[in-house]
């Protein structure tokens, strides 16, 4: 892949383009609203430009140019046939700048230089004599200017890329020849400066067009869903044209969770959104904006998949799982089942409700706890209570994952049913507190502490990341570094 393909890849889709490496077999429909935004600041654009141009140049060099040949009229000799072959660009240095605006993305490399090598040969034939010679030469292309303008649009959940304008102009060339007669040197300089410059201009312009065409095909082949794990996937259809403003690029995707078999979440999550605010990341390269519905749809997927049900038969204070300990809390239970073991079934009755507030996440969890007695080989349900648990979650970045930990704020207990006498809720509350603090929250925090992978960061590492929570949205602000294993093909 040449320098311009890689540069545009980094600029147009940057992180999202890496999703092409993750296979997807199904294509869910795009929604009109984006719940996840990737905002690349001017600092991020410069990072992408400088790093990827450097890597891409190394991948495209050496670049072969077509042979050039012509007949040159030499005083006293006549027509001499001169051929330049094996013309190769061996290095390119391209100081560059990039601008974003209403017309698209404009890249300008001004004052670029390129080093070339080539072979030369000439032959002169007359009815008296045949003269020929050959050798090699080095060429320095100076003050080269390269410019291109591209625009991108969303169509049916994918991005299309169009080249509006491109060009390459070579201002100056110097040629150093090894071998040959002195008269030949000036002939080559005078006769071939223009053709060599034209060959370089045509080759680079052709590479630009080929690269944009390849990138357009690659963008349109991006998967529309990305697997997160064996349960869930994320809908990554694009939801509008990239926004190019204030030297930044914003790309919006649907971003909501779904099941691996393409089951979408309920439509009530599709509600009005506020525009992303990149002003929270003034000094960082990238901002990743996540709406609270991203987390709520994840909760729905895992709830429907049966991952929010637990059976508790071990406890830090194991005596709590014996009817003897309950004889003062639930005396009828002890009378019917004295000194029997117990088991608790904890089940969420609905998906957790997650709200992003200032500087935090609020989580409301509705669950039922069923008390079972182990009588001989029989498991006997004897009572049930409902809990409403209010917790806060403090998110943080763990490498390239979004992790967090739930902390209990408060809870309420209500009576459901009992098969053996009355269950007094005030007496049960201390045990309910112990269950929530020592069993339920540790179960829930186990996957949260491992973190949820951000599926936009293939080939990149977050650096000095910060998280800003505001009403209904979370903004991850970070600098970026290339992963060691990152490779541009």
């Amino acid at each position: 892949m040449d320098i311009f393909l890689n540069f545009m890849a980094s600029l147009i889709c940057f992180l999202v383009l890496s999703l092409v490496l993750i296979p997807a077999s199904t294509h869910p429909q795009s929604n009109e609203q984006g719940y996840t935004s990737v905002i690349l600041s001017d600092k991020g654009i410069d990072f992408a430009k400088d790093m990827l141009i450097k890597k891409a140049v190394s991948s495209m060099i050496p670049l072969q140019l077509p042979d050039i040949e012509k007949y040159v009229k030499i005083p006293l000799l006549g027509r001499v046939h001169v051929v330049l072959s094996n013309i190769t660009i061996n290095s390119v240095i391209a100081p560059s700048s990039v601008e974003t605006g209403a017309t698209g993305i404009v890249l300008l490399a001004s004052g670029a230089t390129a080093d070339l090598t080539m072979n030369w040969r000439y032959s002169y034939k007359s009815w008296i004599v045949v003269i020929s010679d050959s050798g090699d030469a080095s060429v320095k292309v100076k003050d080269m200017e390269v410019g291109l303008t591209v625009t991108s649009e969303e169509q049916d959940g994918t991005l299309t890329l169009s080249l509006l304008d491109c060009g390459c102009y070579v201002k100056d060339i110097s040629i150093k020849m090894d071998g040959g007669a002195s008269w030949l040197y000036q002939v080559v300089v005078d006769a071939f400066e223009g053709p060599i410059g034209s060959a370089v201009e045509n080759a680079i312009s052709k590479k630009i067009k080929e690269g944009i065409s390849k990138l357009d095909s690659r963008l349109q082949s991006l998967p529309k869903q990305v697997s997160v794990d064996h349960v869930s996937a994320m809908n990554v259809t694009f939801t509008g044209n990239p926004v190019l403003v204030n030297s930044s690029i914003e790309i919006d995707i649907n971003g909501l969770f779904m099941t691996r078999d393409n089951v979408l979440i309920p439509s009530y999550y599709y509600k009005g959104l506020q525009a992303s605010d990149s002003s929270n990341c003034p000094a960082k390269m990238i901002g990743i904006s996540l709406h609270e519905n991203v987390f709520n749809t994840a909760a729905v997927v895992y709830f429907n998949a049966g991952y929010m049900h637990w059976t508790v038969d071990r406890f830090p204070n194991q005596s709590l799982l014996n009817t003897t300990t309950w004889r003062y809390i639930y005396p009828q239970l002890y009378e019917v089942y004295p000194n029997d073991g117990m088991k608790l079934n904890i089940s969420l009755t609905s998906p957790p409700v997650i709200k992003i507030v200032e500087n935090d996440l609020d989580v409301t969890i509705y669950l039922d706890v069923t008390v079972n007695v182990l009588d001989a080989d029989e498991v006997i349900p004897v009572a049930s209570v409902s809990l409403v648990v209010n917790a806060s979650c403090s998110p943080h970045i763990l490498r390239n994952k979004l992790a967090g930990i739930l902390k209990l704020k408060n809870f309420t207990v209500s009576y459901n049913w009992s098969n053996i006498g009355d269950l007094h809720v005030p007496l049960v509350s201390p045990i309910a507190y112990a269950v929530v603090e020592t069993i339920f929250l540790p179960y829930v925090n186990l996957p949260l502490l491992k973190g949820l992978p951000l599926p936009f960061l293939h080939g990149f590492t977050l650096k000095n990341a910060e998280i800003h929570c505001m009403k209904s949205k979370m903004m991850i602000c970070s600098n970026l570094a290339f992963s060691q294993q990152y490779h541009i093909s």
Side-chain angles (χ1 to χ4, degrees), residues 253-282:
I253 66 171
N254 177 282
L256 298 181
F257 277 71
M258 58 194 304
T259 64
R260 288 283 298 272
D261 55 0
N262 243 17
V263 177
L264 300 176
I265 48 80
S267 60
Y268 58 76
Y269 285 104
Y270 294 86
K271 58 187 181 182
L273 295 176
Q274 299 174 348
S276 299
D277 183 7
S278 60
S279 62
N280 289 289
C281 304

Side-chain angles (χ1 to χ4, degrees), residues 407-425:
K407 295 182 180 180
L408 179 64
K409 294 170 64 177
N410 56 69
F411 72 96
T412 60
V413 184
S414 59
Y415 175 78
N416 281 341
W417 53 265
S418 172
N419 291 333
I420 307 174
D422 294 329
L423 186 64
H424 299 288
V425 170

Side-chain angles (χ1 to χ4, degrees), residues 87-274:
I87 308 170
T88 306
I89 300 177
N90 295 302
S91 66
V92 174
I93 300 176
S96 58
S97 62
V98 63
E99 295 182 1
T100 61
T103 59
I105 300 174
V106 180
L107 168 66
L108 178 63
S110 182
T113 61
D115 290 318
L116 293 78
T117 56
M118 64 182 184
N119 300 122
W120 59 265
R121 69 177 187 273
Y122 79 90
S123 61
Y124 166 76
K125 297 180 180 179
S126 71
W127 64 277
I128 299 177
V129 65
V130 175
I131 303 173
S132 64
D133 199 359
S134 63
D136 53 61
S138 59
V139 181
K140 186 81 169 182
V141 178
K142 303 175 183 178
D143 295 327
M144 182 169 60
E145 291 190 358
V146 182
L148 67 152
T149 302
V150 296
T151 185
S152 181
E153 294 182 349
E154 179 268 332
Q155 292 183 2
D156 298 324
T158 64
L159 287 184
T160 63
L161 191 65
S162 301
L163 179 64
L164 301 181
D165 189 23
C166 74
C168 177
Y169 176 64
V170 174
K171 291 184 178 180
D172 185 34
I173 290 179
S174 63
I175 303 173
K176 180 181 179 181
M177 297 183 62
D178 295 324
S182 59
W183 61 265
L184 178 64
Y185 173 78
Q186 195 61 45
V187 166
V188 171
V189 171
D190 293 341
F192 286 91
E193 272 188 336
I196 292 174
S198 296
V200 172
E201 292 169 351
N202 293 336
I204 291 180
S205 296
K206 181 180 179 182
K207 280 293 183 180
I208 292 175
K209 295 174 182 178
E210 290 176 354
I212 296 302
S213 178
K214 290 178 183 178
L215 180 56
D216 179 53
S217 298
R218 192 175 180 189
L219 283 171
Q220 295 184 52
S221 68
L222 288 174
K224 294 187 177 181
Q225 75 173 46
V226 177
S227 298
V228 176
D229 55 25
H230 66 287
V231 174
S232 67
M234 179 178 284
N235 183 338
V236 291
T237 52
F238 295 93
T239 57
N241 298 337
V243 179
L244 310 175
V245 65
N246 296 330
S247 300
S248 67
I249 301 175
E250 177 179 341
I251 301 170
D252 296 332
I253 66 171
N254 177 282
L256 298 181
F257 277 71
M258 58 194 304
T259 64
R260 288 283 298 272
D261 55 0
N262 243 17
V263 177
L264 300 176
I265 48 80
S267 60
Y268 58 76
Y269 285 104
Y270 294 86
K271 58 187 181 182
L273 295 176
Q274 299 174 348

